Amino acid sequence: MNTKYEEIIGEIQSRLNDERLKSGEKLPSIRRVAKEFSCSINTVLKAYSELEKAHLIYSVPKSGYFAVGTDKPKKRTQMKIDFVSAGPDKTRMPYRDYQHCMNQAIELYKEEMFQYSHPLGLVSLRHQLSAQLQDLQVFAPPERIAVVSGSQQALDLLISLPFPNHKKEICVEQPTHFSFIDSITSRGLKPVGIERNQKGIDLNYLEKVFRERSIKFFYTVSRFQNPTGCSYSNQEKKHMVELAQKYDVYIIEDDYMGDLDTRKKADPMFAYDPSGRVIYTKSFSKILLPGLRLGLAVLPEEIMKVFTQAKFAADVHTPVLTQGALEIYLSSGMFKAHIEKLRRQYKKKGTILKKAYLEYLPPNAAFTGGDSGFYSTVVLPSRMKAKNLAEYLKKKNVLVQDASGMYLPEYREENRIRLSVSQVDGRKIEVGVRKIGDGIRALI
Ligand SMILES: Cc1ncc(COP(=O)(O)O)c(C=O)c1O
């Protein structure tokens, strides 16, 4: 499918959503759009015809295309600026391409798509993943790759598995991805926390923890961390891997958004020790379609057997049809083209966000991250509670997340909010951040 076609549809939808194109207003001419998107007139006609079928626009012979609108006043909820939702930008999700790949997978593999399958995933997909991971500097044979039902499943399973180092404790960054905290605390475990902020992590303290505690693994999100949005430098990553080797600790590197990194020289931790010391997990939720629940883990040979048993016990295997479609999506080159587009689009959002932070946040507030076009946090003045600011902003139609739930109880900070800009249109990012800045000034 033509990717320009999708881009045009996405762009018009986004203009309709944020009312840059109002009801009855004329759309840009076919010729102009073809020039703007460097594509053929036919592609624009096809995109406009699709929008017409969806009743979003209508055509007037010899006049052009016009936006359909409702005369009803918009509900207030539609005006909300939502910095809480953290799924991918809905206008950029390639669900039509994926639908095509699902159909292709059925054509190609027939009943195999509906049979029981291998707990670690389709062999042909694992081969494709092994090749595709090389673009991320992850060199692993298909036999060490497990396809999982979202990377969360791999993280959840790894918590309970016995590791070759026979150690029991888990070390996590503070704050961290709240689903991982849920996975640990739901098992009654008490992990060791280590603070992570804009400056990184205290490597001396990490060494002390590795040396003095019985750490089975250190869970880290090496780039675009959730919630801080921060990434480690190559030097920091290398140092942490060396510490893990020295003290016989495993690292679980959650690289859920590695594909969106535009820094060509940024390595994953896995690249510094591909032997299995670093367990690498990757998600397709932020870059593809989160509802598919597709992810992978690159595991050490020593735990392949127990992991396979645990995966089988959890859900037998990840649904086969979505795996077959992913294989086709990867092998056809659609994935690469999609990622290249996404990188540009999300980077643009990140740039707008950081500019807005610098312009509108008061001097007694600070921000972390923001590069990925997904997560970042705002550190509020120390006496201000994130909960109160979130409530105040809700009344102003700006939704932000109180980040206190992203900490273990004993490390909790109550003056951080998390913002995700993935589903917020560029223009609204600025408006929203201005309101956040005003809110902080009003509540202090
Ligand atoms: C740090 C982190 N890892 C992984 C994921 C994605 O998990 P999954 O692949 O299970 O959807 C998320 C989603 O928000 C996340 O924040």
Side-chain angles (χ1 to χ4, degrees), residues 86 149-153 155 177 219 221 224-226 254 256 282-286 290 293-295 375 418:
S149 304
S151 57
Q152 171 63 22
Q153 185 182 45
L155 301 173
H177 179 32
Y219 168 69
V221 183
F224 308 135
Q225 197 232 20
N226 176 9
D254 177 348
Y256 74 130
K282 174 182 163 62
S283 167
F284 287 94
S285 294
K286 300 295 184 197
R293 309 306 304 131
L294 281 169
Y375 300 120
R418 187 190 75 178

Side-chain angles (χ1 to χ4, degrees), residues 328-341:
I328 291 168
Y329 195 72
L330 292 170
S331 63
S332 64
M334 285 186 196
F335 180 77
K336 264 198 181 145
H338 172 64
I339 288 298
E340 264 157 40
K341 259 192 302 170

Side-chain angles (χ1 to χ4, degrees), residues 11 14-15 17-18 20 81 83 89 92 349 352 421-430:
E11 177 59 29
S14 140
R15 288 189 201 182
N17 286 345
D18 63 13
R20 273 177 288 154
I81 302 179
F83 290 119
D89 186 335
R92 316 285 182 196
K349 288 195 184 208
I352 297 172
V421 288
S422 57
Q423 295 195 358
V424 185
D425 185 79
R427 285 172 179 226
K428 290 202 177 151
I429 293 175
E430 202 188 324

